[in-house]
Amino acid sequence: MAVRTIREDGDEILRKKSREVEIIDEKIKELIDDMIETMHKANGVGLSAVQVGILKRIVVIDLYDDKGPIKLINPVITKTKGEQEVEEGCLSFPNQYGRIVRPAEVTVEALNENGEKIKIKAKGLLAQAICHELDHLEGILFVDNIIPGTLHYVEPDEK
Ligand code: NI
C-alpha cells in the first residue's frame, strides 16, 4: 500500500468525468487500498479516484465506525429522500468549508472490490459523503453548490 498525492483545487483533472471500471483486477484493488491509506493519512471521510489522478468510478468512504471503510465501484444513487443542510469540506480544498444542502437519505448501488453487487441505504453524514464523492465522478466540486457566502477557512488546529 502507498499514500498517493491528493490533487487540489486548480488541477483540471478534478473537472473531468470518470469512466466506469470494466474489470476489477489487481491494479484496481491496489488503487483502492492506496485510496484508503491516502484518505486515512489525510483524516478524511471520503476520497474519489479522480482525487489521486485516476479517472475511474471508484470511491472510498470511512466514518471511522463499524461500517467502514466502504468501497464503491461504479456507484449509482438510485433513491434520495429529504434534505439536510450541512457543513462540508473536501480533501482537495484544504481547510475550506461551506454550507450545502444534501439529501437526508440516499440509496446507492455499486460493486464491491470482489465484483459483488452491493446496496447501501444511508442517512446523515454517510448520505452526505456518498453524494459528495459521487459528485467528484462527474467533475462536480462541493464549492459549486454551497450556499453563497458560506465558504470559510478553518485552520487545521481549530477544527
Ligand atoms: Ni471531495
PDB file of all heavy atoms in Angstrom, residues 38-78:
ATOM      1  N   THR A  38      -4.513   6.731   1.743  1.00  0.00           N
ATOM      2  CA  THR A  38      -4.385   8.173   1.485  1.00  0.00           C
ATOM      3  C   THR A  38      -5.454   8.958   2.254  1.00  0.00           C
ATOM      4  O   THR A  38      -5.159   9.983   2.884  1.00  0.00           O
ATOM      5  CB  THR A  38      -4.500   8.446  -0.029  1.00  0.00           C
ATOM      6  OG1 THR A  38      -3.518   7.650  -0.721  1.00  0.00           O
ATOM      7  CG2 THR A  38      -4.294   9.918  -0.358  1.00  0.00           C
ATOM      8  N   MET A  39      -6.679   8.443   2.235  1.00  0.00           N
ATOM      9  CA  MET A  39      -7.790   9.083   2.961  1.00  0.00           C
ATOM     10  C   MET A  39      -7.512   9.084   4.458  1.00  0.00           C
ATOM     11  O   MET A  39      -7.692  10.114   5.131  1.00  0.00           O
ATOM     12  CB  MET A  39      -9.089   8.326   2.669  1.00  0.00           C
ATOM     13  CG  MET A  39     -10.262   8.715   3.535  1.00  0.00           C
ATOM     14  SD  MET A  39     -11.765   7.790   3.114  1.00  0.00           S
ATOM     15  CE  MET A  39     -11.320   6.111   3.564  1.00  0.00           C
ATOM     16  N   HIS A  40      -7.072   7.957   4.977  1.00  0.00           N
ATOM     17  CA  HIS A  40      -6.799   7.872   6.419  1.00  0.00           C
ATOM     18  C   HIS A  40      -5.677   8.822   6.836  1.00  0.00           C
ATOM     19  O   HIS A  40      -5.776   9.503   7.849  1.00  0.00           O
ATOM     20  CB  HIS A  40      -6.426   6.433   6.801  1.00  0.00           C
ATOM     21  CG  HIS A  40      -7.609   5.509   6.846  1.00  0.00           C
ATOM     22  ND1 HIS A  40      -7.484   4.141   6.847  1.00  0.00           N
ATOM     23  CD2 HIS A  40      -8.943   5.761   6.878  1.00  0.00           C
ATOM     24  CE1 HIS A  40      -8.696   3.595   6.894  1.00  0.00           C
ATOM     25  NE2 HIS A  40      -9.596   4.552   6.904  1.00  0.00           N
ATOM     26  N   LYS A  41      -4.615   8.883   6.023  1.00  0.00           N
ATOM     27  CA  LYS A  41      -3.490   9.755   6.373  1.00  0.00           C
ATOM     28  C   LYS A  41      -3.915  11.215   6.421  1.00  0.00           C
ATOM     29  O   LYS A  41      -3.431  12.004   7.226  1.00  0.00           O
ATOM     30  CB  LYS A  41      -2.352   9.568   5.370  1.00  0.00           C
ATOM     31  CG  LYS A  41      -1.154  10.445   5.679  1.00  0.00           C
ATOM     32  CD  LYS A  41       0.154   9.809   5.254  1.00  0.00           C
ATOM     33  CE  LYS A  41       1.330  10.636   5.764  1.00  0.00           C
ATOM     34  NZ  LYS A  41       1.692  11.702   4.819  1.00  0.00           N
ATOM     35  N   ALA A  42      -4.891  11.575   5.546  1.00  0.00           N
ATOM     36  CA  ALA A  42      -5.367  12.960   5.484  1.00  0.00           C
ATOM     37  C   ALA A  42      -6.527  13.206   6.458  1.00  0.00           C
ATOM     38  O   ALA A  42      -7.104  14.299   6.469  1.00  0.00           O
ATOM     39  CB  ALA A  42      -5.809  13.284   4.057  1.00  0.00           C
ATOM     40  N   ASN A  43      -6.869  12.199   7.259  1.00  0.00           N
ATOM     41  CA  ASN A  43      -8.003  12.292   8.191  1.00  0.00           C
ATOM     42  C   ASN A  43      -9.310  12.638   7.485  1.00  0.00           C
ATOM     43  O   ASN A  43     -10.146  13.367   8.022  1.00  0.00           O
ATOM     44  CB  ASN A  43      -7.732  13.324   9.296  1.00  0.00           C
ATOM     45  CG  ASN A  43      -6.558  12.932  10.158  1.00  0.00           C
ATOM     46  OD1 ASN A  43      -6.457  11.784  10.583  1.00  0.00           O
ATOM     47  ND2 ASN A  43      -5.644  13.862  10.374  1.00  0.00           N
ATOM     48  N   GLY A  44      -9.475  12.114   6.269  1.00  0.00           N
ATOM     49  CA  GLY A  44     -10.700  12.381   5.517  1.00  0.00           C
ATOM     50  C   GLY A  44     -11.737  11.304   5.736  1.00  0.00           C
ATOM     51  O   GLY A  44     -11.422  10.206   6.198  1.00  0.00           O
ATOM     52  N   VAL A  45     -12.997  11.621   5.388  1.00  0.00           N
ATOM     53  CA  VAL A  45     -14.069  10.623   5.482  1.00  0.00           C
ATOM     54  C   VAL A  45     -14.433  10.053   4.112  1.00  0.00           C
ATOM     55  O   VAL A  45     -15.253   9.136   4.023  1.00  0.00           O
ATOM     56  CB  VAL A  45     -15.340  11.175   6.169  1.00  0.00           C
ATOM     57  CG1 VAL A  45     -15.041  11.557   7.613  1.00  0.00           C
ATOM     58  CG2 VAL A  45     -15.933  12.349   5.417  1.00  0.00           C
ATOM     59  N   GLY A  46     -13.836  10.606   3.050  1.00  0.00           N
ATOM     60  CA  GLY A  46     -14.124  10.076   1.722  1.00  0.00           C
ATOM     61  C   GLY A  46     -13.077  10.525   0.726  1.00  0.00           C
ATOM     62  O   GLY A  46     -12.412  11.550   0.922  1.00  0.00           O
ATOM     63  N   LEU A  47     -12.911   9.711  -0.323  1.00  0.00           N
ATOM     64  CA  LEU A  47     -11.955  10.058  -1.377  1.00  0.00           C
ATOM     65  C   LEU A  47     -12.401   9.367  -2.666  1.00  0.00           C
ATOM     66  O   LEU A  47     -12.834   8.218  -2.641  1.00  0.00           O
ATOM     67  CB  LEU A  47     -10.552   9.578  -0.988  1.00  0.00           C
ATOM     68  CG  LEU A  47      -9.393  10.050  -1.879  1.00  0.00           C
ATOM     69  CD1 LEU A  47      -9.091  11.536  -1.678  1.00  0.00           C
ATOM     70  CD2 LEU A  47      -8.132   9.224  -1.598  1.00  0.00           C
ATOM     71  N   SER A  48     -12.302  10.095  -3.763  1.00  0.00           N
ATOM     72  CA  SER A  48     -12.627   9.508  -5.066  1.00  0.00           C
ATOM     73  C   SER A  48     -11.322   9.308  -5.837  1.00  0.00           C
ATOM     74  O   SER A  48     -10.327  10.010  -5.596  1.00  0.00           O
ATOM     75  CB  SER A  48     -13.562  10.441  -5.837  1.00  0.00           C
ATOM     76  OG  SER A  48     -12.959  11.704  -5.994  1.00  0.00           O
ATOM     77  N   ALA A  49     -11.344   8.360  -6.790  1.00  0.00           N
ATOM     78  CA  ALA A  49     -10.123   8.031  -7.533  1.00  0.00           C
ATOM     79  C   ALA A  49      -9.582   9.239  -8.288  1.00  0.00           C
ATOM     80  O   ALA A  49      -8.360   9.421  -8.390  1.00  0.00           O
ATOM     81  CB  ALA A  49     -10.396   6.869  -8.492  1.00  0.00           C
ATOM     82  N   VAL A  50     -10.473  10.078  -8.803  1.00  0.00           N
ATOM     83  CA  VAL A  50     -10.001  11.263  -9.547  1.00  0.00           C
ATOM     84  C   VAL A  50      -9.125  12.151  -8.666  1.00  0.00           C
ATOM     85  O   VAL A  50      -8.201  12.811  -9.159  1.00  0.00           O
ATOM     86  CB  VAL A  50     -11.191  12.056 -10.145  1.00  0.00           C
ATOM     87  CG1 VAL A  50     -12.166  12.520  -9.081  1.00  0.00           C
ATOM     88  CG2 VAL A  50     -10.704  13.249 -10.947  1.00  0.00           C
ATOM     89  N   GLN A  51      -9.368  12.130  -7.371  1.00  0.00           N
ATOM     90  CA  GLN A  51      -8.561  12.969  -6.466  1.00  0.00           C
ATOM     91  C   GLN A  51      -7.118  12.480  -6.327  1.00  0.00           C
ATOM     92  O   GLN A  51      -6.274  13.220  -5.837  1.00  0.00           O
ATOM     93  CB  GLN A  51      -9.216  13.055  -5.081  1.00  0.00           C
ATOM     94  CG  GLN A  51     -10.485  13.900  -5.086  1.00  0.00           C
ATOM     95  CD  GLN A  51     -11.130  13.911  -3.725  1.00  0.00           C
ATOM     96  OE1 GLN A  51     -11.802  12.968  -3.349  1.00  0.00           O
ATOM     97  NE2 GLN A  51     -10.897  14.958  -2.957  1.00  0.00           N
ATOM     98  N   VAL A  52      -6.860  11.238  -6.744  1.00  0.00           N
ATOM     99  CA  VAL A  52      -5.465  10.785  -6.814  1.00  0.00           C
ATOM    100  C   VAL A  52      -5.049  10.636  -8.276  1.00  0.00           C
ATOM    101  O   VAL A  52      -4.095   9.924  -8.601  1.00  0.00           O
ATOM    102  CB  VAL A  52      -5.200   9.498  -5.997  1.00  0.00           C
ATOM    103  CG1 VAL A  52      -5.360   9.774  -4.502  1.00  0.00           C
ATOM    104  CG2 VAL A  52      -6.091   8.338  -6.426  1.00  0.00           C
ATOM    105  N   GLY A  53      -5.799  11.305  -9.167  1.00  0.00           N
ATOM    106  CA  GLY A  53      -5.388  11.398 -10.567  1.00  0.00           C
ATOM    107  C   GLY A  53      -5.824  10.257 -11.466  1.00  0.00           C
ATOM    108  O   GLY A  53      -5.322  10.127 -12.583  1.00  0.00           O
ATOM    109  N   ILE A  54      -6.770   9.434 -10.994  1.00  0.00           N
ATOM    110  CA  ILE A  54      -7.231   8.289 -11.785  1.00  0.00           C
ATOM    111  C   ILE A  54      -8.713   8.487 -12.112  1.00  0.00           C
ATOM    112  O   ILE A  54      -9.554   8.507 -11.209  1.00  0.00           O
ATOM    113  CB  ILE A  54      -7.064   6.957 -11.002  1.00  0.00           C
ATOM    114  CG1 ILE A  54      -5.659   6.817 -10.424  1.00  0.00           C
ATOM    115  CG2 ILE A  54      -7.467   5.770 -11.880  1.00  0.00           C
ATOM    116  CD1 ILE A  54      -4.576   6.445 -11.392  1.00  0.00           C
ATOM    117  N   LEU A  55      -9.027   8.590 -13.413  1.00  0.00           N
ATOM    118  CA  LEU A  55     -10.413   8.876 -13.816  1.00  0.00           C
ATOM    119  C   LEU A  55     -11.234   7.591 -13.898  1.00  0.00           C
ATOM    120  O   LEU A  55     -11.708   7.193 -14.962  1.00  0.00           O
ATOM    121  CB  LEU A  55     -10.426   9.631 -15.141  1.00  0.00           C
ATOM    122  CG  LEU A  55      -9.981  11.101 -15.036  1.00  0.00           C
ATOM    123  CD1 LEU A  55      -9.719  11.689 -16.408  1.00  0.00           C
ATOM    124  CD2 LEU A  55     -11.025  11.927 -14.287  1.00  0.00           C
ATOM    125  N   LYS A  56     -11.401   6.948 -12.764  1.00  0.00           N
ATOM    126  CA  LYS A  56     -12.228   5.747 -12.687  1.00  0.00           C
ATOM    127  C   LYS A  56     -13.296   5.950 -11.631  1.00  0.00           C
ATOM    128  O   LYS A  56     -13.075   6.654 -10.644  1.00  0.00           O
ATOM    129  CB  LYS A  56     -11.364   4.522 -12.355  1.00  0.00           C
ATOM    130  CG  LYS A  56     -10.443   4.135 -13.503  1.00  0.00           C
ATOM    131  CD  LYS A  56      -9.804   2.793 -13.262  1.00  0.00           C
ATOM    132  CE  LYS A  56      -8.808   2.425 -14.360  1.00  0.00           C
ATOM    133  NZ  LYS A  56      -9.407   2.310 -15.681  1.00  0.00           N
ATOM    134  N   ARG A  57     -14.449   5.294 -11.846  1.00  0.00           N
ATOM    135  CA  ARG A  57     -15.591   5.495 -10.952  1.00  0.00           C
ATOM    136  C   ARG A  57     -15.440   4.615  -9.702  1.00  0.00           C
ATOM    137  O   ARG A  57     -16.064   3.572  -9.554  1.00  0.00           O
ATOM    138  CB  ARG A  57     -16.904   5.227 -11.692  1.00  0.00           C
ATOM    139  CG  ARG A  57     -17.058   6.144 -12.905  1.00  0.00           C
ATOM    140  CD  ARG A  57     -18.383   5.991 -13.617  1.00  0.00           C
ATOM    141  NE  ARG A  57     -19.458   6.700 -12.955  1.00  0.00           N
ATOM    142  CZ  ARG A  57     -19.707   8.004 -13.102  1.00  0.00           C
ATOM    143  NH1 ARG A  57     -18.961   8.764 -13.882  1.00  0.00           N
ATOM    144  NH2 ARG A  57     -20.709   8.545 -12.474  1.00  0.00           N
ATOM    145  N   ILE A  58     -14.567   5.088  -8.823  1.00  0.00           N
ATOM    146  CA  ILE A  58     -14.281   4.390  -7.556  1.00  0.00           C
ATOM    147  C   ILE A  58     -14.266   5.426  -6.438  1.00  0.00           C
ATOM    148  O   ILE A  58     -13.635   6.478  -6.592  1.00  0.00           O
ATOM    149  CB  ILE A  58     -12.902   3.703  -7.585  1.00  0.00           C
ATOM    150  CG1 ILE A  58     -12.808   2.712  -8.744  1.00  0.00           C
ATOM    151  CG2 ILE A  58     -12.623   3.012  -6.248  1.00  0.00           C
ATOM    152  CD1 ILE A  58     -11.408   2.153  -8.959  1.00  0.00           C
ATOM    153  N   VAL A  59     -14.963   5.130  -5.339  1.00  0.00           N
ATOM    154  CA  VAL A  59     -14.866   5.993  -4.163  1.00  0.00           C
ATOM    155  C   VAL A  59     -14.681   5.125  -2.906  1.00  0.00           C
ATOM    156  O   VAL A  59     -15.117   3.977  -2.866  1.00  0.00           O
ATOM    157  CB  VAL A  59     -16.100   6.921  -3.976  1.00  0.00           C
ATOM    158  CG1 VAL A  59     -16.444   7.663  -5.251  1.00  0.00           C
ATOM    159  CG2 VAL A  59     -17.305   6.174  -3.489  1.00  0.00           C
ATOM    160  N   VAL A  60     -14.027   5.705  -1.946  1.00  0.00           N
ATOM    161  CA  VAL A  60     -13.919   5.065  -0.629  1.00  0.00           C
ATOM    162  C   VAL A  60     -14.431   6.063   0.411  1.00  0.00           C
ATOM    163  O   VAL A  60     -14.285   7.278   0.257  1.00  0.00           O
ATOM    164  CB  VAL A  60     -12.469   4.627  -0.302  1.00  0.00           C
ATOM    165  CG1 VAL A  60     -12.012   3.554  -1.266  1.00  0.00           C
ATOM    166  CG2 VAL A  60     -11.498   5.802  -0.314  1.00  0.00           C
ATOM    167  N   ILE A  61     -15.074   5.517   1.427  1.00  0.00           N
ATOM    168  CA  ILE A  61     -15.657   6.337   2.490  1.00  0.00           C
ATOM    169  C   ILE A  61     -15.378   5.632   3.808  1.00  0.00           C
ATOM    170  O   ILE A  61     -15.481   4.407   3.897  1.00  0.00           O
ATOM    171  CB  ILE A  61     -17.187   6.487   2.277  1.00  0.00           C
ATOM    172  CG1 ILE A  61     -17.472   7.316   1.010  1.00  0.00           C
ATOM    173  CG2 ILE A  61     -17.860   7.118   3.500  1.00  0.00           C
ATOM    174  CD1 ILE A  61     -18.929   7.332   0.579  1.00  0.00           C
ATOM    175  N   ASP A  62     -15.014   6.415   4.825  1.00  0.00           N
ATOM    176  CA  ASP A  62     -14.834   5.824   6.149  1.00  0.00           C
ATOM    177  C   ASP A  62     -15.249   6.835   7.207  1.00  0.00           C
ATOM    178  O   ASP A  62     -14.632   7.898   7.325  1.00  0.00           O
ATOM    179  CB  ASP A  62     -13.369   5.405   6.355  1.00  0.00           C
ATOM    180  CG  ASP A  62     -13.220   4.422   7.506  1.00  0.00           C
ATOM    181  OD1 ASP A  62     -14.198   4.238   8.266  1.00  0.00           O
ATOM    182  OD2 ASP A  62     -12.137   3.833   7.633  1.00  0.00           O
ATOM    183  N   LEU A  63     -16.304   6.509   7.917  1.00  0.00           N
ATOM    184  CA  LEU A  63     -16.744   7.381   9.017  1.00  0.00           C
ATOM    185  C   LEU A  63     -16.107   6.939  10.333  1.00  0.00           C
ATOM    186  O   LEU A  63     -16.498   7.393  11.396  1.00  0.00           O
ATOM    187  CB  LEU A  63     -18.274   7.374   9.134  1.00  0.00           C
ATOM    188  CG  LEU A  63     -19.050   7.789   7.877  1.00  0.00           C
ATOM    189  CD1 LEU A  63     -20.529   7.907   8.197  1.00  0.00           C
ATOM    190  CD2 LEU A  63     -18.528   9.094   7.297  1.00  0.00           C
ATOM    191  N   TYR A  64     -15.126   6.037  10.233  1.00  0.00           N
ATOM    192  CA  TYR A  64     -14.411   5.532  11.405  1.00  0.00           C
ATOM    193  C   TYR A  64     -15.385   4.903  12.405  1.00  0.00           C
ATOM    194  O   TYR A  64     -15.278   5.094  13.611  1.00  0.00           O
ATOM    195  CB  TYR A  64     -13.550   6.660  12.026  1.00  0.00           C
ATOM    196  CG  TYR A  64     -12.591   7.234  10.980  1.00  0.00           C
ATOM    197  CD1 TYR A  64     -12.927   8.366  10.252  1.00  0.00           C
ATOM    198  CD2 TYR A  64     -11.390   6.595  10.682  1.00  0.00           C
ATOM    199  CE1 TYR A  64     -12.082   8.867   9.246  1.00  0.00           C
ATOM    200  CE2 TYR A  64     -10.538   7.085   9.691  1.00  0.00           C
ATOM    201  CZ  TYR A  64     -10.893   8.212   8.993  1.00  0.00           C
ATOM    202  OH  TYR A  64     -10.060   8.688   8.013  1.00  0.00           O
ATOM    203  N   ASP A  65     -16.356   4.158  11.828  1.00  0.00           N
ATOM    204  CA  ASP A  65     -17.275   3.389  12.663  1.00  0.00           C
ATOM    205  C   ASP A  65     -17.203   1.926  12.219  1.00  0.00           C
ATOM    206  O   ASP A  65     -16.307   1.548  11.469  1.00  0.00           O
ATOM    207  CB  ASP A  65     -18.706   3.950  12.556  1.00  0.00           C
ATOM    208  CG  ASP A  65     -19.258   3.881  11.126  1.00  0.00           C
ATOM    209  OD1 ASP A  65     -18.596   3.251  10.251  1.00  0.00           O
ATOM    210  OD2 ASP A  65     -20.314   4.453  10.877  1.00  0.00           O
ATOM    211  N   ASP A  66     -18.168   1.113  12.657  1.00  0.00           N
ATOM    212  CA  ASP A  66     -18.086  -0.326  12.359  1.00  0.00           C
ATOM    213  C   ASP A  66     -18.425  -0.669  10.906  1.00  0.00           C
ATOM    214  O   ASP A  66     -18.281  -1.810  10.492  1.00  0.00           O
ATOM    215  CB  ASP A  66     -18.980  -1.117  13.330  1.00  0.00           C
ATOM    216  CG  ASP A  66     -20.424  -0.631  13.319  1.00  0.00           C
ATOM    217  OD1 ASP A  66     -20.722   0.339  12.588  1.00  0.00           O
ATOM    218  OD2 ASP A  66     -21.247  -1.218  14.036  1.00  0.00           O
ATOM    219  N   LYS A  67     -18.871   0.314  10.125  1.00  0.00           N
ATOM    220  CA  LYS A  67     -19.234   0.035   8.731  1.00  0.00           C
ATOM    221  C   LYS A  67     -18.051   0.175   7.769  1.00  0.00           C
ATOM    222  O   LYS A  67     -18.086  -0.344   6.661  1.00  0.00           O
ATOM    223  CB  LYS A  67     -20.321   1.005   8.258  1.00  0.00           C
ATOM    224  CG  LYS A  67     -21.684   0.737   8.834  1.00  0.00           C
ATOM    225  CD  LYS A  67     -22.711   1.660   8.170  1.00  0.00           C
ATOM    226  CE  LYS A  67     -23.963   1.770   9.019  1.00  0.00           C
ATOM    227  NZ  LYS A  67     -24.426   3.151   9.159  1.00  0.00           N
ATOM    228  N   GLY A  68     -17.027   0.904   8.187  1.00  0.00           N
ATOM    229  CA  GLY A  68     -16.012   1.289   7.225  1.00  0.00           C
ATOM    230  C   GLY A  68     -14.759   0.460   7.237  1.00  0.00           C
ATOM    231  O   GLY A  68     -14.585  -0.345   8.145  1.00  0.00           O
ATOM    232  N   PRO A  69     -13.858   0.680   6.283  1.00  0.00           N
ATOM    233  CA  PRO A  69     -14.063   1.553   5.143  1.00  0.00           C
ATOM    234  C   PRO A  69     -14.980   0.928   4.086  1.00  0.00           C
ATOM    235  O   PRO A  69     -14.956  -0.272   3.878  1.00  0.00           O
ATOM    236  CB  PRO A  69     -12.645   1.750   4.574  1.00  0.00           C
ATOM    237  CG  PRO A  69     -11.841   0.607   5.090  1.00  0.00           C
ATOM    238  CD  PRO A  69     -12.490   0.132   6.343  1.00  0.00           C
ATOM    239  N   ILE A  70     -15.808   1.784   3.473  1.00  0.00           N
ATOM    240  CA  ILE A  70     -16.735   1.365   2.423  1.00  0.00           C
ATOM    241  C   ILE A  70     -16.064   1.607   1.074  1.00  0.00           C
ATOM    242  O   ILE A  70     -15.494   2.677   0.848  1.00  0.00           O
ATOM    243  CB  ILE A  70     -18.051   2.174   2.530  1.00  0.00           C
ATOM    244  CG1 ILE A  70     -18.752   1.871   3.854  1.00  0.00           C
ATOM    245  CG2 ILE A  70     -18.964   1.893   1.340  1.00  0.00           C
ATOM    246  CD1 ILE A  70     -19.893   2.839   4.185  1.00  0.00           C
ATOM    247  N   LYS A  71     -16.121   0.608   0.201  1.00  0.00           N
ATOM    248  CA  LYS A  71     -15.517   0.726  -1.135  1.00  0.00           C
ATOM    249  C   LYS A  71     -16.627   0.618  -2.162  1.00  0.00           C
ATOM    250  O   LYS A  71     -17.389  -0.357  -2.143  1.00  0.00           O
ATOM    251  CB  LYS A  71     -14.513  -0.414  -1.340  1.00  0.00           C
ATOM    252  CG  LYS A  71     -13.465  -0.494  -0.237  1.00  0.00           C
ATOM    253  CD  LYS A  71     -12.910  -1.899  -0.121  1.00  0.00           C
ATOM    254  CE  LYS A  71     -12.049  -2.027   1.129  1.00  0.00           C
ATOM    255  NZ  LYS A  71     -11.547  -3.401   1.317  1.00  0.00           N
ATOM    256  N   LEU A  72     -16.745   1.595  -3.029  1.00  0.00           N
ATOM    257  CA  LEU A  72     -17.810   1.605  -4.035  1.00  0.00           C
ATOM    258  C   LEU A  72     -17.205   1.715  -5.426  1.00  0.00           C
ATOM    259  O   LEU A  72     -16.499   2.680  -5.729  1.00  0.00           O
ATOM    260  CB  LEU A  72     -18.763   2.782  -3.800  1.00  0.00           C
ATOM    261  CG  LEU A  72     -19.455   2.873  -2.426  1.00  0.00           C
ATOM    262  CD1 LEU A  72     -20.227   4.188  -2.317  1.00  0.00           C
ATOM    263  CD2 LEU A  72     -20.391   1.692  -2.205  1.00  0.00           C
ATOM    264  N   ILE A  73     -17.514   0.732  -6.267  1.00  0.00           N
ATOM    265  CA  ILE A  73     -17.058   0.747  -7.661  1.00  0.00           C
ATOM    266  C   ILE A  73     -18.284   0.933  -8.550  1.00  0.00           C
ATOM    267  O   ILE A  73     -19.300   0.266  -8.355  1.00  0.00           O
ATOM    268  CB  ILE A  73     -16.334  -0.578  -8.002  1.00  0.00           C
ATOM    269  CG1 ILE A  73     -15.122  -0.760  -7.083  1.00  0.00           C
ATOM    270  CG2 ILE A  73     -15.938  -0.616  -9.474  1.00  0.00           C
ATOM    271  CD1 ILE A  73     -14.488  -2.137  -7.157  1.00  0.00           C
ATOM    272  N   ASN A  74     -18.200   1.857  -9.485  1.00  0.00           N
ATOM    273  CA  ASN A  74     -19.313   2.208 -10.389  1.00  0.00           C
ATOM    274  C   ASN A  74     -20.601   2.524  -9.612  1.00  0.00           C
ATOM    275  O   ASN A  74     -21.677   2.020  -9.945  1.00  0.00           O
ATOM    276  CB  ASN A  74     -19.586   1.084 -11.397  1.00  0.00           C
ATOM    277  CG  ASN A  74     -18.379   0.792 -12.276  1.00  0.00           C
ATOM    278  OD1 ASN A  74     -17.497   1.632 -12.447  1.00  0.00           O
ATOM    279  ND2 ASN A  74     -18.347  -0.395 -12.853  1.00  0.00           N
ATOM    280  N   PRO A  75     -20.520   3.351  -8.579  1.00  0.00           N
ATOM    281  CA  PRO A  75     -21.704   3.607  -7.756  1.00  0.00           C
ATOM    282  C   PRO A  75     -22.751   4.462  -8.470  1.00  0.00           C
ATOM    283  O   PRO A  75     -22.401   5.345  -9.270  1.00  0.00           O
ATOM    284  CB  PRO A  75     -21.136   4.376  -6.555  1.00  0.00           C
ATOM    285  CG  PRO A  75     -19.930   5.060  -7.096  1.00  0.00           C
ATOM    286  CD  PRO A  75     -19.356   4.124  -8.123  1.00  0.00           C
ATOM    287  N   VAL A  76     -24.016   4.156  -8.159  1.00  0.00           N
ATOM    288  CA  VAL A  76     -25.142   4.928  -8.698  1.00  0.00           C
ATOM    289  C   VAL A  76     -26.125   5.170  -7.551  1.00  0.00           C
ATOM    290  O   VAL A  76     -26.481   4.233  -6.825  1.00  0.00           O
ATOM    291  CB  VAL A  76     -25.867   4.142  -9.820  1.00  0.00           C
ATOM    292  CG1 VAL A  76     -27.090   4.916 -10.312  1.00  0.00           C
ATOM    293  CG2 VAL A  76     -24.918   3.856 -10.980  1.00  0.00           C
ATOM    294  N   ILE A  77     -26.559   6.411  -7.401  1.00  0.00           N
ATOM    295  CA  ILE A  77     -27.596   6.715  -6.413  1.00  0.00           C
ATOM    296  C   ILE A  77     -28.942   6.396  -7.051  1.00  0.00           C
ATOM    297  O   ILE A  77     -29.275   6.934  -8.106  1.00  0.00           O
ATOM    298  CB  ILE A  77     -27.514   8.182  -5.952  1.00  0.00           C
ATOM    299  CG1 ILE A  77     -26.257   8.385  -5.091  1.00  0.00           C
ATOM    300  CG2 ILE A  77     -28.761   8.577  -5.151  1.00  0.00           C
ATOM    301  CD1 ILE A  77     -25.980   9.824  -4.696  1.00  0.00           C
ATOM    302  N   THR A  78     -29.692   5.505  -6.420  1.00  0.00           N
ATOM    303  CA  THR A  78     -30.965   5.068  -7.010  1.00  0.00           C
ATOM    304  C   THR A  78     -32.167   5.694  -6.324  1.00  0.00           C
ATOM    305  O   THR A  78     -33.280   5.617  -6.842  1.00  0.00           O
ATOM    306  CB  THR A  78     -31.090   3.536  -6.929  1.00  0.00           C
ATOM    307  OG1 THR A  78     -30.917   3.133  -5.571  1.00  0.00           O
ATOM    308  CG2 THR A  78     -30.046   2.860  -7.806  1.00  0.00           C
TER     309      THR A  78
END
